[in-house]
């Protein structure tokens, strides 16, 4: 039995699509299809079927899938054994694409500035940081790792609480009282977010002169208009011209790291997840737990 073909079969069943499997293995879809065809030639029966746009093992291939997963887990365990194989087996190079979906402000101010630390150690690794309003789905394999500001209530995820993203009230240098000063706010689409609820509770009569859906834009507008803004500290502490008011301590937001259960032991996903965790835990603007 061809191990590479068997492993590819297990990955396709886990990823649900050929494209997602190709991304996980760092190859193209043609290679995936060729390996599956080789496996079917060896077994003498079809091993995959397409249902609702996703690849599933055929009934006859169910036992084959169990064997493939057991072998995959065994190989992973052997390669991870400290000292057992270090002198006998060279660890495979970490390569391929890892997608991380999350919040712009964390990517821009915590993760992206330190990306070189990861890529210098793993030059064959490609990390995609997907921010903005694209709430990519872990179950549908649209992303490998997700950073969320709230714990999900459902889903087969490996979940880890990284810490708390701290917030601060920022305003122009030399102006300490935000009560009568102009404000820049998040737009109305974020009215139900914890930080905005806190702001409305503590500064209900503030004069809002502008709004935005991005913290970096809010910071720029606040500088330009000599206004105050509620900002994550990882952003606000980096903006020249804005000063955090230390006597006001807004509530923070929890940061959760999510990986699908089936992906947590994939070497490149594990490496990126550990690196992201270390970066955030080491950030002065993130309160660790």
């Amino acid at each position: 039995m061809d191990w590479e073909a068997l492993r590819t079969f297990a990955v396709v069943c886990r990823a649900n699509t050929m494209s997602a499997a190709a991304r996980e293995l760092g190859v193209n879809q043609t290679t995936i299809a060729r390996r599956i065809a080789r496996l079917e030639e060896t077994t003498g029966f079809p091993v995959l079927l397409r249902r609702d746009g996703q690849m599933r093992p055929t009934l006859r291939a169910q036992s084959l899938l169990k064997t493939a997963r057991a072998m995959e887990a065994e190989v992973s365990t052997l390669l991870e054994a400290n000292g057992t194989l270090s002198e006998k087996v060279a660890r495979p190079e970490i390569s391929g694409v890892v997608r991380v979906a999350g919040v712009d402000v964390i990517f821009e101010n915590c993760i992206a500035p330190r990306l070189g630390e990861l890529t210098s150690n793993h030059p064959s690794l490609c990390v995609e940081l997907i921010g903005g309003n694209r709430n990519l789905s872990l179950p549908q394999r649209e992303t490998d790792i997700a950073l969320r500001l709230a714990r999900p209530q459902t889903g087969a995820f490996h979940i880890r609480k990284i810490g708390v993203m701290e917030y601060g009230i920022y305003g122009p240098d030399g102006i300490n009282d935000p009560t009568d000063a102009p404000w820049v706010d998040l737009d109305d689409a974020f009215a139900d977010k914890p930080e905005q609820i806190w702001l409305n509770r503590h500064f209900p009569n503030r004069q809002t002169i502008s709004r935005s859906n991005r913290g970096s834009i809010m910071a720029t507008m606040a500088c330009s208009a000599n206004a105050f803004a509620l900002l994550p500290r990882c952003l606000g502490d980096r903006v020249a011209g804005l000063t955090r008011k230390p006597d006001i301590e807004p509530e923070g937001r929890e940061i959760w790291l999510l990986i699908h259960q089936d992906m947590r032991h994939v070497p490149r996903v594990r490496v990126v997840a550990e690196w992201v965790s270390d970066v955030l835990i080491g950030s002065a603007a993130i309160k660790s737990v």
Side-chain angles (χ1 to χ4, degrees), residues 233-265:
R233 286 194 56 188
C234 61
L235 166 63
D237 288 352
R238 296 164 60 95
V239 179
L242 292 180
T243 302
R244 183 171 63 90
K245 308 309 171 184
D247 54 333
I248 306 174
E249 296 186 1
E251 297 175 1
R253 295 287 302 275
E254 294 179 343
I255 303 175
W256 295 85
L257 186 144
L258 285 63
I259 309 174
H260 196 281
Q261 291 283 20
D262 293 341
M263 296 294 290
R264 60 180 297 199
H265 295 302

Side-chain angles (χ1 to χ4, degrees), residues 19-256:
S19 59
R23 189 170 67 246
E24 178 174 336
L25 293 171
V27 298
N28 56 44
Q29 292 189 54
T30 301
T31 300
I32 298 293
R34 186 169 59 249
R35 291 176 181 175
I36 295 299
R38 192 162 65 235
L39 181 63
E40 291 181 335
E41 182 180 352
T42 302
T43 60
F45 57 81
V47 298
L48 289 171
L49 59 85
R50 186 181 298 276
R51 180 183 300 163
D52 298 328
Q54 297 187 333
M55 305 303 295
R56 296 281 189 266
T58 62
L59 185 60
R60 292 188 67 182
Q62 292 287 348
S63 60
L64 185 65
L65 178 58
K66 292 180 181 178
T67 300
R69 286 174 171 169
M71 292 177 64
E72 191 178 33
E74 183 68 18
V75 170
S76 178
T77 300
L78 288 172
L79 290 176
E80 291 174 1
N82 291 330
T84 303
L85 299 175
S86 59
E87 298 179 358
K88 300 178 182 178
V89 180
R91 288 184 177 273
E93 182 181 23
I94 301 299
S95 62
V97 179
V98 177
R99 273 193 159 192
V100 187
V103 184
D104 285 356
V105 70
I106 294 177
F107 285 162
E108 292 172 356
N109 299 284
C110 297
I111 304 299
R114 295 182 58 182
L115 184 63
E117 301 172 9
L118 178 65
T119 55
S120 63
N121 291 327
H122 304 286
S124 297
L125 189 64
C126 176
V127 180
E128 296 182 1
L129 301 180
I130 312 297
N133 295 321
R134 297 182 62 191
N135 192 18
L136 300 184
S137 169
L138 277 168
Q140 296 179 13
R141 313 294 180 175
E142 293 178 326
T143 188
D144 302 307
I145 301 169
L147 290 174
R148 299 283 187 258
L149 297 183
R151 181 187 178 112
Q153 300 303 311
T154 59
F157 307 127
H158 172 68
I159 303 175
R160 179 185 178 189
K161 183 178 179 180
I162 301 297
V164 176
M165 183 170 69
E166 296 187 291
Y167 280 76
I169 298 295
Y170 292 85
D173 297 338
I175 302 178
N176 296 319
D177 185 6
T179 305
D180 298 322
W183 281 77
V184 174
D185 276 7
L186 282 169
D187 68 28
D188 291 340
F190 296 86
D192 61 339
K193 301 303 180 184
E195 64 270 30
Q196 200 65 15
I197 292 173
W198 180 93
L199 183 61
N200 290 335
R201 187 167 66 245
H202 288 80
F203 295 92
N205 299 317
R206 66 189 183 281
Q207 177 193 1
T208 300
I209 61 170
S210 188
R211 293 186 175 88
S212 177
N213 65 340
R214 293 279 301 274
S216 56
I217 299 175
M218 291 172 58
T220 301
M221 292 192 298
C223 287
S224 174
N226 287 327
F228 282 78
L230 173 65
L231 300 171
R233 286 194 56 188
C234 61
L235 166 63
D237 288 352
R238 296 164 60 95
V239 179
L242 292 180
T243 302
R244 183 171 63 90
K245 308 309 171 184
D247 54 333
I248 306 174
E249 296 186 1
E251 297 175 1
R253 295 287 302 275
E254 294 179 343
I255 303 175
W256 295 85

